[in-house]
């Protein structure tokens, strides 16, 4: 009788292994999005569309966007200057200078509801 062949592995029958038990999410994708995912798959040698989507989500979650500073010094002043210049061009030049200044101040400061010294909000901690 002949010797059996050693070192070969039998292929398992049935369904291939999955990514594990998890929550299944059904989504609808538009053609443009699917073609972009497929193009990404081709560039990164990913076998299946679901695996590509999983990898893209992981990449998106790892990416941290650097926060810009809330305001750059001098930017608010520059904005006020530009607004005052634009308002001066709109205001009727026949009005007295005091009236023009009052209108400009009212427009650049805004209504009292939008000002920083609101009483209905708690004060900022310093």
């Amino acid at each position: 009788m002949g010797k059996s062949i050693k070192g070969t592995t039998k292929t398992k029958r049935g369904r291939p292994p999955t990514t594990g038990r998890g929550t299944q999410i059904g989504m609808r994708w538009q053609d443009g999005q699917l073609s972009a995912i497929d193009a990404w798959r081709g560039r990164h040698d990913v076998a299946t569309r679901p695996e590509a989507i999983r990898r893209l989500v992981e990449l998106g979650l790892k990416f941290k966007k650097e926060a810009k500073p809330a305001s750059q010094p001098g930017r608010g002043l520059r904005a006020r200057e530009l607004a005052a210049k634009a308002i001066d061009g709109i205001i009727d030049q026949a009005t007295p200078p005091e009236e023009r200044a009052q209108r400009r101040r009212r427009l650049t400061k805004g209504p009292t509801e939008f000002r920083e010294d609101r009483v209905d909000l708690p004060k900022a901690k310093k």
Side-chain angles (χ1 to χ4, degrees), residues 23-34:
T23 304
Q24 181 178 2
I25 299 174
M27 295 180 67
R28 294 188 189 274
W29 296 84
Q30 302 301 321
D31 291 334
Q33 294 168 328
L34 288 176

Side-chain angles (χ1 to χ4, degrees), residues 13-124:
R13 295 175 64 191
R15 185 175 182 173
T18 62
T19 56
R21 294 192 64 83
T23 304
Q24 181 178 2
I25 299 174
M27 295 180 67
R28 294 188 189 274
W29 296 84
Q30 302 301 321
D31 291 334
Q33 294 168 328
L34 288 176
S35 61
I37 291 170
D38 290 337
W40 188 88
R41 263 179 57 200
R43 287 192 309 270
H44 292 86
D45 197 33
V46 178
T48 63
R49 212 181 252 171
E51 181 61 28
I53 292 170
R54 278 191 286 276
R55 287 190 189 179
L56 285 168
V57 168
E58 285 177 15
L59 286 172
L61 292 173
K62 286 180 185 177
F63 180 76
K64 289 185 179 179
K65 185 176 180 182
E66 301 236 352
K68 290 184 179 180
S71 64
Q72 295 174 353
R75 227 172 156 189
L77 179 62
R78 175 78 174 135
R80 271 185 254 132
E81 289 173 359
L82 289 173
K85 192 180 286 188
I87 291 168
D88 283 338
I90 296 170
I91 292 177
D92 183 20
Q93 299 301 321
T95 57
E98 304 86 34
E99 178 72 21
R100 277 186 278 166
Q102 183 183 8
R103 288 180 185 178
R104 185 183 320 110
R105 195 175 320 110
R106 191 173 56 223
L107 288 169
T108 53
K109 280 192 170 183
T112 55
E113 297 87 29
F114 298 146
R115 293 192 193 147
E116 304 258 345
D117 53 345
R118 289 178 51 177
V119 294
D120 61 331
L121 294 177
K123 297 204 179 219

